[in-house]
Every structure is written in C-alpha cells, then in structure tokens.
Amino acid sequence: MKIILHFGMPKAGSNALQQLFHARRDLLLSQGILYPESCVGNPDRHHHLTIPAFEGKRLPTTFRKHSPNEAQKEFIQFWDHVKDQVSQAKPDLVILSTEALFRRLSPAGAHRLYNKLTQLTDDITTVAFIRQFPTYYISLVQQRILS
C-alpha cells in the first residue's frame, strides 16, 4: 500500500480537489484508491493531521479554540477512523489531503507526522500544489472584497 499526502498553498484548488475525491470515494475505491472520510470536522478534509505535526502549537484556525488535550482526543478519533477504513478497504493507495500542512514544519513535527503515517505504510509520497504569487494575490483580494 502507498500513501499520497497532498497539501497545497491557500487558493491553489485544494478544497475543490478534496470535495471531488470525497464525492467520488466509491469510484476511487473500486480502483483500489481510498480517500478516507473524516469522522470529525469536515468529512472531506484531513486537517487533523496537523495536530501531531504541530503538537498543539500554531494549529490551524479550525483547532485554535481547542485545548491541546481536546485537539489530541479529536486526532485520536480521526486517526483510528482512518486506520479502520484502511483495514476494511485494503486499498492499494490512500490519499490524504489538507492544505493546513502548507506551512513550515519543525523537524520534530515532521517526524511525529511521519511516525503516524508509517503506522499504515512506509511508502509515502508528498504532493504540494503551488500557485503563482500574482494570481494568488488577486484571488485573495477578490475573496476579501466579497466577504
């Protein structure tokens, strides 16, 4: 089994990709590809992967209202659910996706995340989506104007 860990900079289309993978989970699974559903938070995103990576410090906005213990409990619930889905489906490939990992990770944080992922397999590929800065800036400004 192999894992693809996807993360992308903001405004690079990660949410659209996550929604597509989630909407097509059955089709993907028929091809041996598992896009796990999250049992906490948004079902189509894997933001909980940031909890061991950032160990309660500099967590994404989604988790900033959580105490470190609450965040850790949610991560355990999320991760157990992912492992159960992998165990049941026995896929050739697992895709995990969160744009919340598109920021600087400490070596210790990267190691903690790696240790979690290697509970499933040590065949891990990372894929990062990067957007050209001028188009990112325009999109960001347009979003702020609309909100």
Side-chain angles (χ1 to χ4, degrees):
M1 186 186 76
K2 178 178 185 159
I3 292 176
I4 293 179
L5 177 61
H6 162 262
F7 54 95
M9 72 180 288
K11 311 306 292 172
S14 297
N15 289 346
L17 187 64
Q18 292 158 350
Q19 290 168 358
L20 177 67
F21 284 158
H22 187 259
R24 302 288 189 269
R25 287 180 75 241
D26 291 339
L27 176 63
L28 290 169
L29 196 53
S30 73
Q31 301 299 310
I33 302 167
L34 175 66
Y35 186 75
E37 187 168 60
S38 178
C39 61
V40 287
N42 288 326
D44 60 350
R45 297 175 191 149
H46 305 125
H47 295 333
H48 286 79
L49 290 171
T50 61
I51 293 169
F54 293 101
E55 198 177 59
K57 301 173 189 128
R58 299 180 20 222
L59 287 175
T61 307
T62 307
F63 304 116
R64 290 199 182 136
K65 293 180 182 176
H66 291 56
S67 72
N69 286 341
E70 290 171 327
Q72 185 61 30
K73 284 179 187 176
E74 273 199 17
F75 172 75
I76 291 168
Q77 184 181 1
F78 163 80
W79 190 241
D80 285 347
H81 190 61
V82 168
K83 290 189 297 186
D84 288 346
Q85 290 174 80
V86 169
S87 177
Q88 290 175 7
K90 298 183 181 16
D92 299 319
L93 174 66
V94 175
I95 300 173
L96 298 169
S97 178
T98 176
E99 60 274 7
L101 282 173
F102 194 83
R103 32 196 205 137
R104 188 168 180 256
L105 270 176
S106 70
H111 188 69
R112 283 189 299 273
L113 179 58
Y114 177 78
N115 284 341
K116 292 297 180 186
L117 295 175
T118 56
Q119 291 175 2
L120 301 175
T121 182
D122 60 357
D123 190 354
I124 303 166
T125 300
T126 56
V127 176
F129 282 19
I130 300 171
R131 185 172 182 171
Q132 292 179 337
F133 187 74
T135 61
Y136 164 71
Y137 182 74
I138 290 168
S139 179
L140 186 64
V141 168
Q142 288 172 340
Q143 181 180 357
R144 300 251 168 134
I145 289 171
L146 291 174
S147 61

